Amino acid sequence: MSWRPCWLADKITPILFSTYVWLLVSGVVPGVLLVGPALMAAVVIARRSRLMLWVRFGVRPATATEQATLDAALVVIPSLRGRGQPRLWVGLKGRGFHTIGSRHLLVGRELLAGVSAGRLPAEQLCAAASFALGQAAPTGSGLVDAVGLYCWPWSVVERGAQAVSRFAARVPLLRFAWALRPVVFLLGAVNAYATGPEFWRQVVATSVVAILVMTYTTPVLRRRWLNRLQELGDARVVADGLGGVWAGMLRRASTDHATTRRIELLLAPRALTGPALRSA
């Protein structure tokens, strides 16, 4: 299965919401419709430039010493030998890797420090890098970046909602109110249909029901997409012969059911190497 259908399904709600926001903004500032697409196109075209990588991720090009250190550690991965070596960028927050396509590998500060100090075994480093490189197709896609930029209004709302949800999760009354949202939304739809003008009551009632449905479907589609990304990364790890190493790292990090199932797949390469790799 290709990653594109899962990605597109995950973007349904962000695209619809962002389109609504951009239409409202264009009504207030008409020039947005002219300048906006040009700016978005320029950003997407320059997305792999040094300036844009610094703006997005806070990274800088690796020095010759840093590049040599990481290249020596990553030599375990056959596809990264010789001319297959990606350009390395240093300064990513956290301890992991991130890819921009297969030619740009972003490295976390803590990870680089661990490699330089010899605290991180080479095989574990390679397994983490291989997992990130398995996601190179979507992370390097211009279409994915363009849609992500277009959906910037949704991203802002999503971050705010995550902050609110962390607070709401600690308040039983708010959790109860959210669980009752079908009743509230349906009452709102019925009221809009019964009291509004002929045309608008249908539009408002339909919109309220659609929003209610999306409160259920959006999280499900997001989990599907995140799981698909995980499958792509795991498939690459298995293809590079590092499934056992990656499984051991996951086992030390968590022992929940989902992780246990994932480890079983990593240790049974036939479950991952076929369709997952072909679709990447």
Side-chain angles (χ1 to χ4, degrees), residues 10-11 13-19 21-22 148-161 214 218-219 222:
D10 175 53
K11 291 301 176 184
T13 300
I15 289 173
L16 291 175
F17 176 83
S18 299
T19 299
V21 171
W22 290 125
L149 190 60
Y150 178 80
C151 294
W152 178 77
W154 170 260
S155 299
V156 173
V157 171
E158 188 177 36
R159 291 192 187 97
M214 286 190 290
T218 301
R222 169 51 57 91

Side-chain angles (χ1 to χ4, degrees), residues 58-258:
V59 296
R60 58 168 175 78
T63 64
T65 302
E66 291 168 339
Q67 180 88 34
T69 300
L70 288 167
D71 285 346
L74 295 174
V75 74
V76 174
I77 303 177
S79 60
L80 298 188
R81 297 171 188 165
R83 295 184 178 180
Q85 294 174 345
R87 184 177 184 185
L88 296 174
W89 300 79
V90 176
L92 188 69
K93 292 182 180 179
R95 303 183 58 183
F97 288 100
H98 182 73
T99 55
I100 304 296
S102 60
R103 305 304 303 164
H104 298 269
L105 187 61
L106 283 55
V107 186
R109 303 185 193 98
E110 295 180 25
L111 186 65
L112 179 62
V115 174
S116 302
R119 296 192 302 266
L120 186 65
E123 283 193 336
Q124 292 185 13
L125 175 74
C126 290
S130 180
F131 178 79
L133 288 166
Q135 301 172 358
T139 60
S141 168
L143 178 61
V144 171
D145 284 341
V147 173
L149 190 60
Y150 178 80
C151 294
W152 178 77
W154 170 260
S155 299
V156 173
V157 171
E158 188 177 36
R159 291 192 187 97
Q162 289 172 351
V164 172
S165 65
R166 285 194 292 270
F167 168 75
R170 299 193 296 268
V171 182
L173 182 60
L174 292 178
R175 292 202 306 269
F176 178 71
W178 180 247
L180 287 180
R181 68 188 183 279
V183 177
V184 177
F185 274 76
L186 290 176
L187 286 175
V190 170
N191 180 67
Y193 189 81
T195 60
E198 179 64 28
F199 172 74
W200 284 109
R201 70 184 187 183
Q202 296 179 9
V203 172
V204 173
T206 304
S207 300
V208 169
V209 173
I211 293 171
L212 172 62
V213 171
M214 286 190 290
T215 64
Y216 289 97
T217 59
T218 301
V220 173
L221 295 174
R222 169 51 57 91
R223 285 194 297 271
R224 268 188 71 196
W225 171 233
L226 293 177
N227 288 338
R228 185 68 187 124
L229 275 176
Q230 183 176 280
E231 290 173 2
L232 290 173
D234 287 348
R236 172 63 183 262
V237 173
V238 170
D240 285 333
L242 297 165
V245 177
W246 191 236
M249 294 169 68
L250 293 175
R251 189 180 290 112
R252 286 189 291 273
S254 175
T255 57
D256 61 29
H257 176 73

